[in-house]
Amino acid sequence: MPLADASSTYVDPPDPTMIKVILGAIAATLLFASLGQTIVSTALPIMVADLGGMDHLTWVITAYLLASTIAAPMAGKLGDMYGRKAVLQNGIIVFMIGAVVCGVAQSMTVVIVGRAIQGAGAGALIVTSMATVGDLLPARDRGMAQGLLGAAFGISTVIGPLLGGFIVENVGWHWIFFVNLPVGLLAFVVLGYALPRRAERPKRKVDYVGAALLTTLLASIVLVPNAADAQQTAALLATGALALAGFVWAELRADEPILPMSLFINNTFVVVNFVGFLVGMAMFGTITFLPLFLQVVKGVSPTNSGLFLVPMMGGLLTASMGAGKIMSNTGRYKLMPTLSTGLLAVAMVAMAMITAQSPLWLIAGVMVLVGLGLGPVFSVGVAAIQNAVPISMMGVGTASANMFRLIGGALGTAGFGAVFSAGLARNVSQVMPDAAEGGLRSLGADMVRALPPETQTLVMQGFSEALHPVFWIAAGAATMACLASMLLRELPLSRS
């Protein structure tokens, strides 16, 4: 893989061998950060049994996601201003502090605080790792590298829950937070030695007002799926709208804006992030509702329902790395997001046609198609943005891809949840009035299994039909993404 001339970015540019060492450390850092997110899922029931606090259970996940979403754009900007090395090393420290807080926690409240600290570190690490690839490699080879980094996410998605379950059963839940510490410490030392100090650039005042308003905006969006009722949802959306208006106003006046408004006239930035927003809706909708369908309708255990995401990750990794290789060999990339989002739309249509009688092998096959549709959007999208923005905005541009995808996922999950709940209440109101009144919260796999056979069949059918609009909407979003990606202007990818 050709290596970039990093002389414009670093005081003492690393040689080709050292760049490979740095990339290895970055991959380990990314795996370290992403494992911290996925390893907890199988341990949550044991943690609740040990510490109590069932009513705070969702906040263990939400605190991590919220902090990660907020930290990512801040870290991207700080990396542009002060260098990737400082942000990466501080991100590792923050993540490890959060892990220790969780590991020694004696209450769910302390665990939630630790998860928020971990999330902040992880958000910084993920974005800055991808931005460092942009610093070190020429544009033509970034797609392949981003695809390889994407493999870290896929690996963590598969092995994280399995590793977490093994540790919980054999050692104890506290150790799921300590197992990553040696990897983090090694990455800290290697990056400190191998990644050189960045070239000095004029420093400007940090945009604290913009940072505060962006934090408010992102917090409002991420918290929407967790709103207790329509009134709370409306309040969050109103807060987000006011924060958005204030953020735009602040960024137009800031010397060093967190997210420069000039980027929104950049064709690649706008198209890629709009596509990422729509694809995030489809992806999070699938991840959220497929396991629910498998457990309630198909009678699959919670653990095995999670394993049905493995085919999706396999397709995603294959397509992501394949697209990166094509991008590197040909220097072309516009067609790949168009084709992949078209395939994603087809996969969503297939999901919308799944019924209670559909065989499990068919569902697994459709999940492979979903992964193949998602992969190129991630690897090619980040590399395309890095190629289109000035190097002084590399971190901000990289962070934007992650941010807009998460915003799409948060809003999509909230919207899909409302559509599904309304459809479910309508479909089961005749046979289960109590469940219809309580909504999804009162209808689970055990309740369905306890019903008389005829009622059980009707409820399963109603459950399946309630999911169909969710996937039809996701198919529409993927189709819009396909059409939008046709507007992407392909820029030359250099090897220098």
Side-chain angles (χ1 to χ4, degrees):
M1 180 183 290
L3 302 171
D5 177 4
S7 58
S8 62
T9 305
Y10 299 108
V11 172
D12 299 309
D15 59 47
T17 300
M18 193 59 70
I19 287 180
K20 293 178 181 178
V21 173
I22 295 170
L23 291 177
I26 287 172
T29 301
L30 206 58
L31 180 62
F32 158 77
S34 53
L35 264 179
Q37 182 174 3
T38 60
I39 201 172
V40 173
S41 58
T42 49
L44 284 176
I46 305 299
M47 293 168 61
V48 169
D50 187 22
L51 302 177
M54 175 64 78
D55 53 332
H56 299 315
L57 181 63
T58 58
W59 277 100
V60 176
I61 305 298
T62 302
Y64 188 99
L65 177 62
L66 178 60
S68 177
T69 304
I70 292 171
M74 311 302 174
K77 184 62 183 181
L78 291 174
D80 288 338
M81 294 177 67
Y82 301 109
R84 317 287 177 218
K85 181 175 182 175
V87 177
L88 279 172
Q89 289 192 302
N90 280 287
I92 291 172
I93 291 172
V94 170
F95 187 94
M96 291 196 297
I97 290 173
V100 172
V101 170
C102 290
V104 300
Q106 298 299 314
S107 72
M108 286 298 286
T109 301
V110 176
V111 171
I112 291 168
V113 171
R115 289 293 287 169
I117 297 171
Q118 265 194 306
L125 290 173
I126 290 169
V127 165
T128 310
S129 295
M130 293 180 173
T132 305
V133 169
D135 290 341
L136 295 174
L137 297 179
R140 194 153 168 172
D141 295 305
R142 290 172 191 159
M144 184 183 295
Q146 300 294 0
L148 292 172
L149 292 182
F153 287 106
I155 291 171
S156 71
T157 302
V158 176
I159 71 171
L162 300 177
L163 180 61
F166 176 82
I167 293 173
V168 167
E169 290 178 6
N170 292 277
V171 184
W173 68 262
H174 296 275
W175 286 93
I176 65 172
F177 298 106
F178 298 140
V179 69
N180 264 340
L181 296 184
V183 179
L185 184 61
L186 178 62
F188 182 91
V189 172
V190 172
L191 289 171
Y193 169 74
L195 193 61
R197 182 169 55 89
R198 63 160 289 158
E200 291 297 327
R201 292 182 187 147
K203 300 294 190 302
R204 297 183 182 179
K205 185 171 66 174
V206 176
D207 179 20
Y208 293 109
V209 174
L213 289 168
L214 182 60
T215 297
T216 303
L217 171 61
L218 294 176
S220 300
I221 293 171
V222 171
L223 291 175
V224 163
N226 296 279
D229 50 41
Q231 185 177 2
Q232 202 172 89
T233 300
L236 286 170
L237 292 176
T239 301
L242 291 173
L244 175 60
F247 178 69
V248 173
W249 178 85
E251 297 307 272
L252 290 172
R253 289 159 176 76
D255 292 333
E256 196 71 40
I258 296 290
L259 185 61
M261 293 296 106
S262 61
L263 288 174
F264 288 91
I265 61 173
N266 182 309
N267 169 269
T268 302
F269 180 89
V270 172
V271 172
V272 168
N273 283 326
F274 182 64
V275 170
F277 173 84
L278 294 171
V279 167
M281 289 177 61
M283 180 180 74
F284 281 89
T286 302
I287 291 174
T288 301
F289 292 102
L290 179 68
L292 192 63
F293 168 83
L294 291 170
Q295 291 176 41
V296 174
V297 178
K298 304 298 289 184
V300 177
S301 69
T303 301
N304 289 337
S305 69
L307 291 176
F308 269 80
L309 298 178
V310 174
M312 184 185 81
M313 296 312 305
L316 191 152
L317 294 180
T318 301
S320 180
M321 290 188 285
K325 188 170 183 60
I326 292 172
M327 191 177 188
S328 177
N329 291 340
T330 66
R332 309 298 296 271
Y333 58 88
K334 177 179 178 176
L335 190 59
M336 287 182 284
T338 304
L339 293 176
S340 67
T341 49
L343 179 61
L344 181 62
V346 171
M348 290 296 106
V349 170
M351 292 290 290
M353 300 175 71
I354 287 175
T355 67
Q357 290 73 42
S358 299
L360 292 177
W361 63 263
L362 177 62
I363 297 173
V366 173
M367 292 303 290
V368 173
L369 294 182
V370 172
L372 292 174
L374 292 172
V377 176
F378 297 158
S379 60
V380 173
V382 171
I385 287 178
Q386 290 181 340
N387 184 53
V389 301
I391 194 165
S392 62
M393 298 182 185
M394 182 77 74
V396 170
T398 303
S400 70
N402 186 64
M403 182 180 71
F404 282 102
R405 187 167 63 247
L406 287 174
I407 290 174
L411 294 180
T413 300
F416 289 159
V419 170
F420 173 67
S421 295
L424 181 62
R426 183 174 59 252
N427 292 344
V428 304
S429 59
Q430 298 300 318
V431 292
M432 294 183 65
D434 293 339
E437 291 174 8
L440 180 61
R441 287 172 294 180
S442 63
L443 183 62
D446 292 339
M447 179 183 290
V448 173
R449 298 290 171 266
L451 295 172
E454 290 184 1
T455 305
Q456 190 178 121
T457 300
L458 291 173
V459 170
M460 287 181 177
Q461 181 180 346
F463 197 100
S464 300
E465 292 176 355
L467 276 177
H468 291 168
V470 169
F471 292 116
W472 280 116
I473 295 171
T479 301
M480 287 179 61
C482 180
L483 296 174
S485 64
M486 296 179 184
L487 302 176
L488 182 65
R489 297 192 200 114
E490 190 172 63
L491 302 177
L493 298 172
S494 70
R495 284 198 178 276
S496 64

